[in-house]
Amino acid sequence: MMPNLAQWRWRSLSAGIGGLALDASAELKMNLPEPVSPLTAEIFDLHMLTTLVSTIIMVAVIGLVGFTIYRFRKSQGSEADQDFNDSRFGTWGWILVPIIVLGIDLSIAGPGAKTLKNVEAYEEADLTLKVIGSQWKWTYEYLDQDISFVSNLNNEDLSSPGYLREVDNPVVLPTHQRIRFLHTASDVLHNWWVPAVAPKKDSIPGYINETWTIIEQEGTYYGQCAELCGTRHAYMPIVVKAVSEQEFAQWVADKKQQKATQLAEATAEKEWSKAELMARGESVYNRTCAACHQIEGTGTPPVFPALKGSAIALGDVSAHIDIVLNGKAGTAMSAWGSQLNDLEIAAVVTYERNAWGNDSGDLVQPAAIKAAR
């Protein structure tokens, strides 16, 4: 027997809801990730408490509204109760309902205030990491270890599982140590957030925000800029690798050795050939400049000007070096003098003056950068 129209509608609705529920249960990625620090565990528990209370209220209200609509429908002859305000519930409900709502709010506000107080707790830390947000990368400075590096998106392959999540330089942090994060930005507002590791905190130009964590479990954790910061906001992933204290000590030693080797190379009295500078300059450019000025040097006007055929790349060399070293006030051009060594800046300036058909023939040696600092 063919189902009638009402039965068909009900079965279609049931099948749709059932399908959505199965899809949701199969994915199970809509919730916050499992926390690995005491602070994020508090936030996770608070989030689950709020979700549970909200769900119970939603189900109760929707159920009550649905029952009322069905039970007192007009087709059954129901009429509006004109004496509702004179009933006992109509008289005392205006007081009772706000009391219930206030009680629910206070049940959430208590643990919420405790968690907020913990987020803002300032205690002595074992390690301090300064995090600088800029369009569209993160710069990390380990203040106690004298280590710094830039972290860029390293995967734009749509078919890859790590699409828009992997970076070239992940943050490495030790487990079971109190870590202080100092957040700031060089251009616009950003927000460094790794839900499993630390609470989100605004990165504000000219201002330092602070938060902390103690990671209790080794692993790789992912995050993202949580403040809409421009057209490539989605291209600012964060990767944190939590390792044992011994592994972290070895990583610090390796980083310092790498830095010393690069510094010795950059300050050596060597005349670099054009081919050497162009090869290094292309690598530096793609890592630090291409996000704004694009791989082909065409920029994204009017915010990020093109370098191909530009007055900067083809004009006075000293002015070109100055803007790379010190940035340009009032624009999105950051200062790279403290983030790149003499060889890296000499190479990238040489590359910009000879790539994409610019063909100026200019070579800039590290000695010129050293003199310009």
Side-chain angles (χ1 to χ4, degrees), residues 267-304:
T267 56
E269 298 297 329
K270 174 185 175 181
E271 287 290 320
W272 295 78
S273 68
K274 181 179 179 181
E276 290 174 320
L277 290 171
M278 288 294 286
R280 284 178 178 267
E282 183 177 14
S283 173
V284 175
Y285 179 87
N286 290 341
R287 189 175 74 243
T288 59
C289 312
C292 299
H293 296 292
Q294 306 301 299
I295 292 289
E296 298 300 326
T298 51
T300 49
V303 179
F304 302 109

Side-chain angles (χ1 to χ4, degrees), residues 48-86:
M48 295 306 294
L49 171 65
T50 307
T51 303
L52 175 64
V53 171
S54 303
T55 303
I56 292 173
I57 293 174
M58 180 187 71
V59 171
V61 170
I62 291 176
L64 180 61
V65 170
F67 169 77
T68 304
I69 291 174
Y70 180 77
R71 174 66 177 81
F72 301 102
R73 59 191 186 278
K74 188 176 181 180
S75 61
Q76 297 298 310
S78 296
E79 295 183 1
D81 183 1
Q82 302 297 331
D83 299 322
F84 174 77
N85 289 336
D86 297 329

Side-chain angles (χ1 to χ4, degrees), residues 20 24 41 43 76 97-98 100 113 135 143 188 190 192 197 206 227 235 240 242 263-264 268 280 285 327 350:
L20 289 173
I43 294 171
Q76 297 298 310
V97 172
I100 294 174
Q135 294 172 323
L143 300 186
V188 300
H190 300 276
W192 194 87
V197 172
E227 185 74 43
Y235 294 71
V240 173
L263 185 61
R280 284 178 178 267
Y285 179 87
T350 298

Side-chain angles (χ1 to χ4, degrees), residues 183-187 203-208:
H183 298 283
T184 188
S186 63
D187 39 40
S203 302
I204 305 170
Y207 185 82
I208 296 289

Side-chain angles (χ1 to χ4, degrees), residues 100-118:
I100 294 174
V101 172
L102 185 60
I104 293 172
D105 288 345
L106 291 177
S107 69
I108 298 173
K114 176 176 174 290
T115 300
L116 283 176
K117 185 178 179 182
N118 285 341

Side-chain angles (χ1 to χ4, degrees), residues 146-201:
D146 192 27
I147 294 172
S148 66
F149 56 84
V150 177
S151 181
N152 293 284
L153 171 68
N154 196 32
N155 190 340
E156 296 190 44
D157 181 1
L158 188 60
S159 62
S160 167
Y163 173 62
L164 296 187
R165 301 201 74 192
E166 302 295 343
V167 299
D168 54 358
N169 284 312
V171 181
V172 178
L173 295 173
T175 55
H176 304 295
Q177 290 194 6
R178 188 179 180 93
I179 300 163
R180 174 192 291 125
F181 297 102
L182 301 178
H183 298 283
T184 188
S186 63
D187 39 40
V188 300
L189 291 179
H190 300 276
N191 193 308
W192 194 87
W193 188 30
V194 183
V197 172
K200 57 190 295 188
K201 204 74 169 180

